[in-house]
């Protein structure tokens, strides 16, 4: 996966949050409100942690968590680029 793909995926997630197309998985989560968005993120975080301890597919669970993280950002109006910029500011040389 390249950074360009992640940027494109986030653009798609933002459009689904904004436009809420019928049949969209992202839209179905967002329509449940922020509690639903965060609840789903928490569920995925738990599944990721469990996989890291050996009881699941680590790569698939990491992908699920990253995808749901993007949904949280988009639903909150936070730009992925701003998160990356914050990480860059924290970088120690």
């Amino acid at each position: 996966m390249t950074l360009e793909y992640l940027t494109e995926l986030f653009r798609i997630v933002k459009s689904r949050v904004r436009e809420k197309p019928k049949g969209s998985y992202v839209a179905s989560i967002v329509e449940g409100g922020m509690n639903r968005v965060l609840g789903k993120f928490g569920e995925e975080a738990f599944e990721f942690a469990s996989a890291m301890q050996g009881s699941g597919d680590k790569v698939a669970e990491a992908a699920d968590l990253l995808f749901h993280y993007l949904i949280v950002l988009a639903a909150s109006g936070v730009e992925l680029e701003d998160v990356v910029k914050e990480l860059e500011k924290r970088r120690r040389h």
Side-chain angles (χ1 to χ4, degrees), residues 6-23:
L6 192 58
T7 300
E8 175 64 14
L9 180 58
F10 187 58
R11 186 192 66 72
I12 293 167
V13 168
K14 287 191 308 182
S15 74
R16 302 275 166 80
V17 167
R18 184 178 54 254
E19 298 167 12
K20 298 178 184 60
K22 188 174 183 171

Side-chain angles (χ1 to χ4, degrees), residues 25-26 29-30 33-50 61-76 83:
Y25 174 74
V26 172
I29 292 173
V30 172
M34 220 37 208
N35 284 340
R36 172 79 173 126
V37 170
L38 294 173
K40 188 63 180 167
F41 178 75
E43 176 186 322
E44 296 300 336
F46 177 79
E47 291 174 7
F48 170 76
S50 295
E61 294 302 340
D64 287 347
L65 182 60
L66 181 56
F67 182 70
H68 287 84
Y69 174 71
L70 295 177
I71 296 172
V72 171
L73 292 181
S76 301
V83 175

